[in-house]
Amino acid sequence: MNEGGPVNVLRLHANNPSSYTGAGNNTYLLPGRVPVLIDAGTGDARHLAAVAGALGEASLRAVIATHAHPDHVGGARAMAARWPDAVFAKKPWPERDATSGVEWTPIADGDRIPAGDSVLVAIHTPGHAPDHLVFFDEDSRTLIGGDLLVAGGTVVIPASHGGSLRDYLASLRRVLSLAPTRVLPAHGPDIEDPARLIHAYLAHREQRDVQILEALAAGRSSVEAIVRRVYEGLDSALEGAAAETVLAHLQKLEQERRVRRVGEAWIPTD
Ligand SMILES: [Zn+2]
């Protein structure tokens, strides 16, 4: 295994705290030969000032986005206005990309992207969003992880808005196989033991499958009824996210032919 030196990555906070983003987003600047910013934040003036300050005399060459959720690309227009020569790049998600106000250069799985004084490998990791990419520095085994992993919590799979739990689990296993030593996430602190977190995520999702199958066996056939059973005493503000999670599991179980949909009802196949 190649244990190279640490890659030079600066964490620049996007200054966008909210109920949706928690403390707000981390963006990452790789300064050096080819200054590249990963994720555009939401266009907050303090974020743009932090990027400009970190660049010093250098000019931003590219902004690459992990995915098209608004807390990752909402600032693209403001970035393009400030750095008109910068290239904007991401994996295409055409219906979302059309509304972001910049022209995106497509990134494909496996593309090698010069960034800072390193080269990042783009890895397509759908699940949280269909266009989701993570960026891997092979020398330092550092992974810039977008919304794939978050320390101390789980990741929402928005089943009615392009999320897929089946894809997400495959993405987790793929990243596990890369053996990253450190993940820099878009939310929360650095993840120093990514394998442990991924194993915990896989076990957690398996346990949810079991709980949902038990709810179905007990005659709960709607998403709402399953949410009430599986998430007893849930804060009403979190019901929407819980419903998306249950739907994501049901869609996965349907793809595995362990449940089927009859009209509005979900029923186990055996
Ligand atoms: Zn997201």
Side-chain angles (χ1 to χ4, degrees):
M1 187 180 290
N2 183 0
E3 292 285 351
V7 60
N8 187 14
V9 183
L10 305 174
R11 176 205 299 262
L12 298 175
H13 201 270
N15 291 102
N16 61 322
S18 72
S19 58
Y20 172 65
T21 62
N25 286 52
N26 303 319
T27 71
Y28 294 98
L29 180 72
L30 285 88
R33 226 163 356 96
V34 187
V36 168
L37 180 70
I38 298 174
D39 279 345
T42 55
D44 186 277
R46 289 163 294 181
H47 182 221
L48 271 80
V51 173
L55 285 168
E57 298 295 302
S59 183
L60 188 61
R61 292 275 287 277
V63 177
I64 59 183
T66 56
H67 62 298
H69 285 164
D71 51 327
H72 301 261
V73 299
R77 199 188 298 256
M79 296 269 165
R82 179 126 186 192
W83 291 282
D85 295 332
V87 170
F88 288 76
K90 67 185 290 299
K91 171 127 182 112
W93 183 0
E95 56 272 42
R96 293 288 182 114
D97 297 342
T99 62
S100 63
V102 302
E103 199 66 51
W104 294 98
T105 298
I107 300 177
D109 182 59
D111 280 359
R112 303 179 72 84
I113 301 166
D117 296 319
S118 332
V119 173
L120 297 176
V121 183
I123 297 155
H124 185 212
T125 43
H128 170 72
D131 58 340
H132 196 280
L133 293 172
V134 296
F135 300 100
F136 191 44
D137 177 65
E138 290 174 320
D139 286 343
S140 67
R141 312 203 76 73
T142 296
L143 186 94
I144 296 164
D147 285 355
L148 186 77
L149 301 171
V150 57
T154 57
V155 169
V156 175
I157 306 302
S160 355
H161 306 282
S164 161
L165 181 58
R166 193 178 160 102
D167 287 352
Y168 180 66
L169 296 175
S171 294
L172 288 177
R173 292 194 178 95
R174 186 167 177 207
V175 165
L176 191 60
S177 75
L178 299 172
T181 53
R182 181 170 67 133
V183 173
L184 308 181
H187 301 275
D190 292 2
I191 296 159
E192 302 291 353
D193 191 350
R196 186 190 169 114
L197 184 62
I198 291 172
H199 283 301
Y201 275 13
L202 293 171
H204 167 78
R205 294 296 181 173
E206 232 165 81
Q207 190 195 354
R208 275 274 180 268
D209 273 352
V210 169
Q211 290 173 322
I212 289 168
L213 286 167
E214 281 170 358
L216 291 168
R220 312 294 174 100
S221 65
S222 71
V223 169
E224 293 69 30
I226 296 167
V227 166
R228 280 197 300 277
R229 180 183 161 115
V230 173
Y231 297 87
E232 233 191 292
L234 181 71
D235 186 330
S236 61
L238 299 175
E239 273 169 15
E244 286 293 313
T245 298
V246 167
L247 182 60
H249 278 270
L250 288 168
Q251 289 175 349
K252 168 185 168 285
L253 291 166
E254 185 182 37
Q255 287 158 347
E256 296 168 349
R257 303 189 193 291
R258 295 161 77 188
V259 306
R260 60 199 174 94
R261 204 190 299 225
V262 178
E264 291 295 293
W266 294 87
I267 55 170
T269 47
D270 47 334

